[in-house]
Amino acid sequence: IEYSDKEVKDVVQVELSVLRKGKKGEEVKTLQRLLNAFGENLSVDGDFGSKTYAALQSYQKKNSLEVDGICGEKSWNSLLK
């Protein structure tokens, strides 16, 4: 059987929480790592504090997203492209 790229699509869906200032945990570490991959210099400590908030707002502004400091669906999708 032959498949073209158009016929076969590999899809992985991941559920991620909406993150905001004050949250803690592994998903926050993932956010911090992703922001670092885009040029930030955050400690990957799993604590969504002032520095993570400011870094996310900067990322949102640079990527024409709503600048609210909340990592929701649009921010996650942009970070994970």
Side-chain angles (χ1 to χ4, degrees):
I1 298 173
E2 292 183 34
Y3 296 98
S4 72
D5 288 340
K6 293 178 183 176
E7 294 171 333
V8 177
K9 293 183 181 181
D10 292 330
V11 177
V12 175
Q13 292 183 331
V14 178
E15 289 189 24
L16 295 163
S17 301
V18 173
L19 300 179
R20 53 179 45 93
K21 201 170 178 183
K23 290 274 193 172
K24 297 180 191 298
E26 290 302 315
E27 288 179 316
V28 176
K29 287 182 182 181
T30 298
L31 172 61
Q32 291 167 329
R33 286 185 191 101
L34 288 166
L35 290 169
N36 285 346
F38 285 97
E40 296 296 334
N41 190 25
L42 297 168
S43 295
V44 180
D45 60 5
D47 185 0
F48 195 139
S50 300
K51 291 179 182 176
T52 301
Y53 180 79
L56 178 57
Q57 286 188 310
S58 175
Y59 176 85
Q60 289 171 326
K61 184 175 182 181
K62 289 177 194 171
N63 290 276
S64 303
L65 298 167
E66 181 179 354
V67 181
D68 59 5
I70 297 170
C71 192
E73 182 178 359
K74 291 178 183 174
S75 293
W76 276 124
N77 284 336
S78 177
L79 285 160
L80 293 168
K81 276 186 187 176

